[in-house]
Structures are given as C-alpha cells and as structure tokens.
Amino acid sequence: MDLPEFRTWVFLYLISSVALLWAAFLSAQGVMLWMSMILVLVVVGANFLVVLSELKRCAAQQEMMKRLSAIEMEVEEK
C-alpha cells in the first residue's frame, strides 16, 4: 500500500469513527434510536463494501502481474 492509498484509508476511518461516535451519542441520549441504528448499519455496510472492492482490486492487480510475468518469462526463453 503506497502513501496516497494510506491517506484515503485514514480519511475513511476518521469519517466512520465520527459517525459511530455520533450514533453512540444519540443512543446514550435515548433519542432517535432508529437513526443511530441506521447510521451504524450504513457505516458498517459502507466500510464492508470499500474493503471488499479493495480486495478485489488487489486480486485483479496480482493476477495481472502474474500474467505479465508469464509473458516476460516466455520472451526471455526465446
């Protein structure tokens, strides 16, 4: 993971932390419990989707690197 990706992850998790803290505040006050539950579900769901897409992107990148390495090995053998 290079530095620009790291900054994106920090920003995502800072926003997520603020949203979860806000949901905890709403729950502790006893008002808008439905809103705090929806907020928690949205944050957890969004983080799950972002991590899943990142894993797929990394897998695709590794597969591409393997294919490029195989092509390079074939060229060197000739």
Side-chain angles (χ1 to χ4, degrees):
M1 179 185 309
D2 51 350
L3 194 56
E5 290 180 26
F6 178 72
R7 289 180 183 163
T8 303
W9 284 102
V10 168
F11 182 71
L12 173 74
Y13 284 114
L14 284 175
I15 294 297
S16 298
S17 298
V18 168
L20 291 175
L21 285 172
W22 182 250
F25 172 75
L26 290 176
S27 294
Q29 295 297 320
V31 295
M32 292 197 253
L33 292 175
W34 60 273
M35 185 177 218
S36 64
M37 291 305 294
I38 289 175
L39 191 56
V40 168
L41 290 174
V42 166
V43 168
V44 170
N47 283 332
F48 177 75
L49 291 176
V50 168
V51 169
L52 187 64
S53 68
E54 184 68 19
L55 289 174
K56 285 182 180 180
R57 187 188 67 82
C58 287
Q61 186 177 12
Q62 287 178 351
E63 181 63 33
M64 182 186 66
M65 294 301 282
K66 285 181 185 178
R67 283 188 283 130
L68 288 175
S69 296
I71 292 172
E72 186 175 294
M73 294 298 285
E74 289 175 4
V75 170
E76 287 179 2
E77 288 176 0
K78 291 181 182 182

